Amino acid sequence: MSPEGEPNRSAERERWCAEQLDEATRAWLEEDARYFLHQSLSTPCLNVLTRCEGSFIEDMRGRRFLDFHGNNVHHVGFGNPRVIDAIVNQMRELSFCTRRYTNLPAIRLAKKLAELAPGRLNKVLLAPGGASAVGMALKLARAATGRFKTISLWDSFHGASLDAISIGGEDIFRRGMEPLLPGSLHVPPPDPAQCPWRCGHECSARCAEYVDYVMRREGDVGAVIVETVRSTSLIPPPQYLQILREACDRHGALLIFDEIPHALGRTGRMFTCENFDVVPDMLLIGKALGGGIFPLAALIAREDLDIAGDIAIGHYTHEKNPVACAAALAAIEFIEENRLAENAREMGEYSLNRLREMQSRLPSIRSVRGLGLLIGVELSDSALAERTMYRSLELGLSFKVTMGTVLTLTPPLTVTRDEMDGALDILDRALSAA
Ligand SMILES: Cc1ncc(COP(=O)(O)O)c(C=O)c1O
């Protein structure tokens, strides 16, 4: 199974670098490779960036690319002036908050998240990154249920720390890292392409019922943790999350939704679970929460899970960093005032229609799917997907290829119709030439 992330070594990549990079860029890439530890999926790097603004990134040669990847941090656009102003003002007043004290931006942010989150999700703990928030949720689930077993999905991604890769389901992160957390049970994801029950596209949600079965047989599962939708733009069938909700209630387990890449509007709703009318016991958000500038994530839990007053669940040095919190407040206000969730819905719908039209002309497009501005274009083979990605880069569009064959388009939620059309024109040209 190809991973969610892209391989960073291939003949196609070498060709692209040889043709597209100048001497100065190559020299900096060599310095990068000289001083950073190498790891799969990210180092060595492809290119060197010098600027970012709105929907665009710029490299050392001054070439601009529409960034339809952005690691899902850029909901409000890169370098959003409102976020930058909030950061600069906050840095001048209170740039750090020593533990034992609190500060106004942190309190205001927690209050805002509690007000926005659905149902009884109204207690917050902040963390300096998504994987740390996942770890906090796992600890709180143990404290609240007295159980250590979890159920999560094969192929899922919840971050790169040891606890997160234990519940994560990707070989590339887990291999060679054992022993992982005991009691981390895995079940098949709601993916028609590899459904063991061969549901195909007539999904009967047998995979969700299997979660209920595992919980009944094990008898002591503390939590079920899933990405509400996968970043591969695999959208679960409508009843899937509801069945998990009922199964957790029946067996006394907590339901945790990881919405770290997509919360705050990408799927057309402030929180992804609002598309499915299912409220978890804990919700994890991150990435865009820091306004595309600061690393920041949050665990938002049901009020009655506030039971761990004598356990250090998070305890991170930058937990209540006032500058990060000021950035988050500015980003959330910007999303609300500019109706970015609505824009994501409308632009997403518009793009899917254009992509379906392309699919009718181009047999290499196997399927087109999406929710808001999380869009996936599945191609017939991985070599073609890679060629299309590098050709698109040459034409000024950057996006991620996931699971080997899926072109994943995640523009900022501020993307304009012209930018969207520009990106889809590039994709059309790249695919037609491939
Ligand atoms: C679904 C999901 N969960 C958790 C994480 C981890 O977040 P971070 O990289 O901030 O630790 C990611 C990061 O890509 C993610 O996509």
Side-chain angles (χ1 to χ4, degrees), residues 4 129-132 134 157-159 227 231 258 260-261 287:
E4 185 185 313
S132 309
V134 168
F157 182 67
H158 296 285
E227 294 159 270
S231 289
D258 178 346
I260 286 166
K287 294 204 183 243

Side-chain angles (χ1 to χ4, degrees), residues 8-29:
N8 57 336
R9 287 174 196 278
S10 72
E12 194 64 40
R13 179 154 166 155
E14 270 171 35
R15 180 200 62 80
W16 190 89
C17 291
E19 283 174 19
Q20 300 290 322
L21 302 179
D22 61 7
E23 226 167 89
T25 307
R26 246 179 252 133
W28 280 111
L29 284 172

Side-chain angles (χ1 to χ4, degrees), residues 228-255:
T228 316
V229 296
R230 294 238 46 221
S231 289
T232 56
S233 68
L234 252 192
I235 319 296
Q239 71 275 38
Y240 180 81
L241 297 172
Q242 189 60 48
I243 296 173
L244 294 193
R245 174 71 278 173
E246 287 160 14
C248 284
D249 292 343
R250 202 169 332 153
H251 300 288
L254 297 173
L255 182 60

